[in-house]
Amino acid sequence: MAGLDHYKMAMDPALVKLGNMTTNRYKYFRWTKRTAGVTLIYAVIVPGIIGTLAYWNDGLWDFRAKRKGDIIRER
């Protein structure tokens, strides 16, 4: 046991390739119809839907200080 280098590990080629790909992704990115659509969905549409639902339900539900038999809905 003494004198062995236990801290050295063999690098997995697939993990090295994945690391290099994620590090250099910005160099090879191109705007295509698909990437523009995905960006639009995740940057505009999904937050818009969540914001609209939050606006409609703002103040509608009150979960604090309710007792048995009280209704949850305020309006």
Side-chain angles (χ1 to χ4, degrees):
M1 286 263 218
L4 295 177
D5 295 330
H6 293 288
Y7 59 88
K8 291 185 179 179
M9 293 178 51
M11 296 299 288
D12 185 8
L15 290 177
V16 172
K17 185 176 180 181
L18 177 67
N20 289 333
M21 181 189 71
T22 56
T23 302
N24 298 319
R25 182 173 296 177
Y26 71 96
K27 295 178 183 176
Y28 304 107
F29 179 79
R30 292 182 188 213
W31 284 104
T32 61
K33 189 180 280 190
R34 181 178 187 271
T35 57
V38 170
T39 302
L40 178 73
I41 288 172
Y42 285 115
V44 176
I45 295 174
V46 171
I49 291 171
I50 292 172
T52 303
L53 290 174
Y55 179 75
W56 282 347
N57 290 313
D58 187 32
L60 187 63
W61 308 99
D62 186 19
F63 293 109
R64 299 185 71 188
K66 294 293 179 183
R67 296 184 182 188
K68 187 175 181 179
D70 290 344
I71 59 172
I72 295 175
R73 191 173 177 121
E74 289 295 319
R75 294 184 200 167

